[in-house]
Amino acid sequence: MTIAGRLAVELPGLKLKNPVMPASGCFGFGDNRYAEMFDLNELGAIIIKAATLKQRDGNPVPRIAETKSGVLNAVGLQNPGVDVILHDKLPVLHKKYPELPVVANIAGATEAEYVKVAQKMSASGMVSALELNISCPNVHEGGMLFGTDPTTARRLTEAVKEVSQVPVYVKLSPNVTDIVEIAQAVAAGGADGLSMINTLLGMRIDLKTRKPILANKTGGLSGPGIKPIAVRMIYQVSRAVDLPIIAMGGIETADDVIEMYLAGASAVAIGTAHFHNPTACPDIIEALPRKLDELGISSLRDLITEVRSAQTNDN
Amino acid sequence: MLTKNNLEIAAQEELAPGIYRIVLHGEFDYAAVRPGCFVMLQLPDEAYQLRRPLAIAASNETQKTIALIYRVVGDGTRLLSKLTPGMLLSILGPLGNGFSLGADNSAEEVLLVGGGTGLPPLMMLAQALNEKGYAVTTAIGFRTASMAFGEKEFEHNGKLLLATDDGSKGFKGNVGELLAKQSVKKYAKVYACGPAGLLQMVQKRFAETETEIYLSLESRMACGVGACEGCVVSTKDGIFNKRVCLEGPVFDGREVIL
């Protein structure tokens, strides 16, 4: 099957009619009231909420704090566990939207847990790719700890790649000194693609209580405030590593999408924008063709080729 | 079907120091509004990434208006309080389950308990219950007389018991102390909205009675539609197993853990 159209892009495991997908954790399993506001079949794909081996209750509340041009969250990977997701959540999503490619975000406290979740999820026949979450800043074991050391990140990628029946995208943490080093490590570990960036570790303090607003004290910062960091990191990584990148980090408009492509992205995920604009994804999909016209870009596929060859010349 | 609509500010007034009532006019799913429902209001400044969850205090399908009452607590609500008629605001809603009203033509006695910004949803509830024939008693508390609002609405729909911390109006003390002086066994239902302490008081006071307990919870939330798991609450059936925005904001007071 080939996918036609100016917005169509092809990444390992993902033949997308457009490059726009809700980011993990901002859209549940498609089982929320956003689904009343537009047809999820319009999406390029959906990245579902992180799955762990066992049910996780998540962090105490408050889990959400607003910042200027951003949001802090410390949900803590709350999810019903991979078995319930495979039994109750994914079949419903798949039945309602049979054409919608699903990317499953997976997390764990140990390598063994990641491997088991990857095995189960990738063998289900209901997901097109895995997004290996080595970058959640809100859990005290696993999560970001796997994404901040190159050797650990590489070993985990290798272990998951060994068992996965679908392509694996590794979701990178921006909370590192050198993200290129981590990207190179997971590329050497066999990653099929990268997903970047996860949230930045942050904190807000309540002036009256004199204590952090979030019960977890720290949380992950997302939203347009972090977009320049995402653009810079994608720009750096795409020049050093020959892997397709799903870009995320404050994307709200078609302009933002094109900026990510110019940095080196192949597809995009939308997260925090949903909270103020629940129809951010379809709005962006609708606006993209006009934006391509305006900028004299024939198709996103051509844009990817152009950007990648310009990078080679730079190097 | 859930929609977001641009509603026009028809009026805005300060009811008490820092407490504002804003009336919005325009297309909205009025038929889906129940007492206890809320909306997510987007401030007209993109620096505010999160919509504000605000309870609906009144809804009028004929005039195409909804009224929201809020307290200025930070920069966002301060900005909202400065907005003037004619401006458009993006409103997502109605959201949440709303209060369970029970049968029509009931003569049962019901009690509403509120404090602070917990009052707005109770105003709409008092009217709906009164129209159904219930004998409504409302017990509300304020810090001091000048902070009081909503008395007229509650008196119009039943009996009002008012408390102020400093005794400048009505009973001297908080609502809990006021209710301690009353027999509450006669109430078939109690509905409460307000700070956690007030809800816990109601839970405790009615624990040994046959009264149905409905508590409307407040929470920091991001999406308002059940997507982000930001506003979870625990019940007897599990830890963080319910979302205030989707399964709530009204919960069975014998199930929810505060």
Side-chain angles (χ1 to χ4, degrees), chain B residues 24-184:
Chain B
L24 302 169
H25 175 264
E27 292 307 316
F28 188 68
D29 188 359
Y30 293 96
V33 176
R34 293 157 53 93
C37 283
F38 67 99
V39 299
M40 293 293 271
L41 177 148
Q42 177 62 37
L43 295 166
D45 178 343
E46 286 182 4
Y48 297 99
Q49 286 287 301
L50 296 179
R51 288 171 177 259
R52 266 55 187 171
L54 296 174
I56 300 173
S59 169
N60 188 324
E61 188 163 12
T62 324
Q63 293 176 7
K64 288 184 186 283
T65 57
I66 53 168
L68 313 170
I69 295 174
Y70 62 93
R71 188 157 53 100
V72 172
V73 288
D75 291 344
T77 38
R78 188 166 304 118
L79 169 67
L80 183 59
S81 72
K82 302 263 188 271
L83 303 181
T84 50
M87 295 180 77
L88 294 176
L89 288 173
S90 171
I91 300 291
L92 176 68
L95 299 164
N97 58 351
F99 289 105
S100 165
L101 296 182
D104 284 338
N105 304 317
S106 171
E108 282 176 341
E109 293 218 34
V110 294
L111 177 68
L112 277 52
V113 185
T117 44
L119 266 52
L122 297 181
M123 289 179 180
M124 194 171 167
L125 177 67
Q127 189 185 342
L129 290 170
N130 184 33
E131 282 168 6
K132 275 183 176 288
Y134 287 93
V136 181
T137 300
T138 305
I140 53 176
F142 300 97
R143 219 173 59 226
T144 183
S146 64
M147 297 295 289
F149 66 94
E151 298 147 271
K152 225 173 45 203
E153 285 86 345
F154 290 117
E155 275 170 349
H156 184 72
N157 289 302
K159 192 173 145 195
L160 178 67
L161 306 171
L162 187 112
T164 50
D165 292 349
D166 62 2
S168 52
K169 196 167 195 180
F171 176 84
K172 183 176 190 226
N174 63 34
V175 183
E177 290 158 349
L178 185 156
L179 289 180
K181 310 247 177 220
Q182 313 256 327
S183 163
V184 295

Side-chain angles (χ1 to χ4, degrees), chain B residues 108-113 135 137-139 159 161 174-192 198 200-213 254:
Chain B
E108 282 176 341
E109 293 218 34
V110 294
L111 177 68
L112 277 52
V113 185
T137 300
T138 305
K159 192 173 145 195
L161 306 171
N174 63 34
V175 183
E177 290 158 349
L178 185 156
L179 289 180
K181 310 247 177 220
Q182 313 256 327
S183 163
V184 295
K185 282 207 179 101
K186 60 182 174 184
Y187 297 113
K189 302 175 179 26
V190 59
Y191 299 90
L198 179 122
Q200 282 162 346
M201 177 277 291
V202 170
Q203 233 177 3
K204 227 187 232 163
R205 187 73 216 279
F206 286 88
E208 306 299 321
T209 67
E210 300 286 306
T211 308
E212 293 171 31
I213 308 171
R254 290 197 163 76

Side-chain angles (χ1 to χ4, degrees), chain A residues 6 254-259 262 288-298 300 303 306:
Chain A
R6 319 167 68 183
D255 284 45
D256 297 336
V257 172
I258 303 298
E259 190 173 354
L262 294 174
L288 269 171
R290 259 179 294 130
K291 188 51 64 180
L292 294 182
D293 285 343
E294 192 185 311
L295 297 170
I297 299 164
S298 58
L300 289 178
L303 183 58
E306 258 179 63

Side-chain angles (χ1 to χ4, degrees), chain A residues 233-256:
Chain A
M233 288 183 160
I234 291 162
Y235 186 93
Q236 288 176 324
V237 166
S238 68
R239 277 165 166 72
V241 177
D242 190 22
L243 286 178
I245 295 171
I246 302 172
M248 62 208 62
I251 301 173
E252 300 187 303
T253 63
D255 284 45
D256 297 336

Side-chain angles (χ1 to χ4, degrees), chain A residues 26 28 32-34 36-37 57 59-64 66 69-71 75 78 213 224 252 275-277 279, chain B residues 1-2 4 42 47-52 75 92 94-95 220 222-223 225-230 232 239-240 246:
Chain A
C26 298
N32 54 69
R33 299 196 68 191
Y34 285 139
E36 291 174 33
M37 303 190 67
D57 297 330
N59 290 325
V61 291
R63 293 175 168 185
I64 305 285
E66 192 184 41
S69 298
V71 176
V75 171
Q78 177 168 0
I213 293 177
E252 300 187 303
F275 302 149
H276 60 89
N277 179 14
T279 55
Chain B
M1 203 183 82
L2 181 62
K4 62 177 159 104
Q42 177 62 37
Y48 297 99
Q49 286 287 301
L50 296 179
R51 288 171 177 259
R52 266 55 187 171
D75 291 344
L92 176 68
L95 299 164
R220 285 175 182 267
C223 72
V225 297
C228 76
E229 309 286 343
V232 291
I239 299 166
F240 298 148
L246 193 67

Side-chain angles (χ1 to χ4, degrees), chain A residues 39-41 90-102 125-126 128:
Chain A
D39 183 356
L40 270 52
N41 280 314
L90 277 177
V92 176
L93 181 65
H94 191 67
K95 198 176 166 201
K96 264 180 136 170
Y97 313 102
E99 302 298 319
L100 178 65
V102 175
M126 290 182 285
S128 302

